[in-house]
Amino acid sequence: AAVAAAVDVVLIALQLAGPCGAASASLPVVINTWAFRKATETAWRTLQLGGSELDAVEKGCGQCEIDQCDGSVGYGGSPDESGETTLDAMIMDGNTMEVGAVADLRHVKNAIGVARKVIEHTKHTLLVGESASLFAVRMGFPYEDLTTQKSLSVYSQWLNQSCQPNYWKNVVPDSSKSCGPYKRLEKSSCEEGTISQRNIRNHDTIGMVVIGKSGIVASGTSTNGAIHKIPGRVGDSPIAGAGSYADSTAGGAAATGDGDTMMRFLPSYQAVEYMRMGTDPTVACQKVISRIQKYVPKFFGAVICANTTGSYGAACNKIPGFTQFHFMVLSPSLSQPAEQVVDCI
């Protein structure tokens, strides 16, 4: 029995070790979508100060909520059809496989903070809408207006352009030329959408994966969703396996882009499963993008991947106006956050 126990210890040690049998010098690692440097720095600093991987993800994504990264994360951006900004976020513990998420969150700025409280104080996984806001207030978050002069200006300009672009199809009046309210068209036609063109830079979710020194994985996302979305729309960001996924036995992944398309393929879950089978993180990301391409060749999107040895990679779908994807990485081999660029496939 003692021998068997010793063998088990050795096997566990090897699983946590790098490819040469030594503890990976590439850990910890923080990786996040887009060139959101302050988010990377905040997550890294949280780890250095003794915070957990989950703390690092929460603080890192929360930094983008404060900074209103690219106007696509946090308050005051991406107004929906009624002019309101709503938020989606999730956080996942790769050790316990617990997930906390909020969607269509209103009047509360720190969406990923609320998502963390879903893990800590409920037996649920996802809370939505005004009810999620009431939960947040119970948890001590301030109830405040997410609208700003900038988001009102964006909304006003959209109305003046006859509500173009929007997300309706097969309705009357003609959604490509006028505002609603819309009713369903009795006789449906197959309208060709221009989703890929209008969604570039409108879905810049922050997705983050943090892997600690011992290989513990956490992931998370935060976004204010698609600009001019139909109220009530929820994209991939708060959905486990779509927006992000973490598993401390394999790795973590996060997605960004056209969530309405990407969420149908659970790209983050699939990428982690590829890495579990030994696939290199870059190749795992590429395989996920390729799977979506077969059905939606012109979608806008990218995926980041990292495994438990600290290897990482990313991939994106090449369309006009989007031929490269920028993401951030910080690990012991880097003295500061490094902006990485991959060519889309």
Side-chain angles (χ1 to χ4, degrees):
V3 172
V7 169
D8 285 344
V9 169
V10 171
L11 286 173
I12 290 168
L14 286 171
Q15 284 174 348
L16 291 173
C20 299
S24 175
S26 302
L27 293 176
V29 63
V30 173
I31 178 171
N32 59 265
T33 56
W34 307 105
F36 299 150
R37 180 179 298 268
K38 277 184 73 177
T40 319
E41 290 171 340
T42 299
W44 184 262
R45 186 167 59 251
T46 302
L47 282 181
Q48 300 306 304
L49 293 173
S52 69
E53 293 79 7
L54 219 55
D55 293 335
V57 169
E58 180 185 355
K59 297 296 184 187
C61 291
Q63 185 68 54
C64 252
E65 293 174 344
I66 294 166
D67 295 342
Q68 301 168 285
C69 286
D70 267 8
S72 63
V73 181
Y75 71 101
S78 302
D80 66 16
E81 275 196 345
S82 63
E84 185 176 7
T85 295
T86 60
L87 309 180
D88 300 333
M90 69 155 283
I91 192 166
M92 182 166 186
D93 184 333
N95 250 16
T96 64
M97 307 309 286
E98 289 177 297
V99 174
V102 289
D104 195 27
L105 180 72
R106 300 150 188 269
H107 300 289
V108 178
K109 290 181 178 179
N110 183 201
I112 196 161
V114 181
R116 177 81 181 270
K117 293 293 185 284
V118 173
I119 289 181
E120 293 178 344
H121 299 291
T122 82
K123 296 177 182 177
H124 298 312
T125 295
L126 172 64
L127 298 180
V128 302
E130 197 62 45
S131 298
S133 305
L134 294 175
F135 166 78
V137 171
R138 280 186 182 177
M139 293 295 105
F141 293 87
Y143 191 84
E144 50 197 329
D145 195 353
L146 303 188
T147 302
T148 61
Q149 281 305 120
K150 184 178 178 182
S151 66
L152 285 174
S153 171
V154 169
Y155 178 58
S156 176
Q157 187 177 354
W158 179 72
L159 290 176
N160 291 337
Q161 293 172 344
S162 302
C163 302
Q164 303 303 309
N166 60 58
Y167 290 87
W168 293 89
K169 64 180 184 180
N170 299 327
V171 292
V172 288
D174 185 344
S175 61
S176 69
K177 296 173 183 172
S178 61
C179 295
Y182 305 106
K183 294 182 178 179
R184 66 187 180 91
L185 194 61
E186 291 300 328
K187 194 174 181 182
S188 290
S189 63
C190 290
E191 287 186 17
E192 279 296 316
T194 53
I195 296 292
S196 64
Q197 298 303 312
R198 69 189 179 208
N199 285 354
I200 294 175
R201 308 300 292 175
N202 284 350
H203 287 64
D204 300 350
T205 313
I206 180 165
M208 179 177 281
V209 175
V210 173
I211 305 181
K213 281 183 183 176
S214 61
I216 293 173
V217 185
S219 70
T221 66
S222 183
T223 186
N224 49 34
I227 191 167
H228 311 311
K229 63 191 173 188
I230 298 170
R233 178 263 189 190
V234 175
D236 64 326
S237 296
I239 307 302
S244 82
Y245 199 72
D247 186 335
S248 297
T249 67
T256 182
D258 177 6
D260 290 295
T261 293
M262 296 182 76
M263 69 191 297
R264 302 166 194 165
F265 298 87
L266 295 178
S268 296
Y269 171 79
Q270 188 60 52
V272 171
E273 290 309 297
Y274 282 136
M275 289 189 287
R276 185 192 307 286
M277 294 186 283
T279 305
D280 173 81
T282 299
V283 177
C285 284
Q286 290 171 343
K287 285 166 75 83
V288 162
I289 294 294
S290 296
R291 283 172 73 123
I292 304 174
Q293 282 174 337
K294 290 174 186 172
Y295 294 89
V296 192
K298 296 179 181 179
F299 81 98
F300 164 58
V303 181
I304 55 171
C305 301
N307 67 21
T308 49
T309 68
S311 296
Y312 59 83
C316 50
N317 185 42
K318 186 177 182 180
I319 55 173
F322 184 63
T323 58
Q324 291 184 320
F325 173 58
H326 296 244
F327 63 101
M328 299 299 301
V329 178
L330 187 48
S331 71
S333 61
L334 301 165
S335 57
Q336 58 185 11
E339 185 175 334
Q340 310 268 341
V341 184
V342 289
D343 292 324
C344 296
I345 58 173

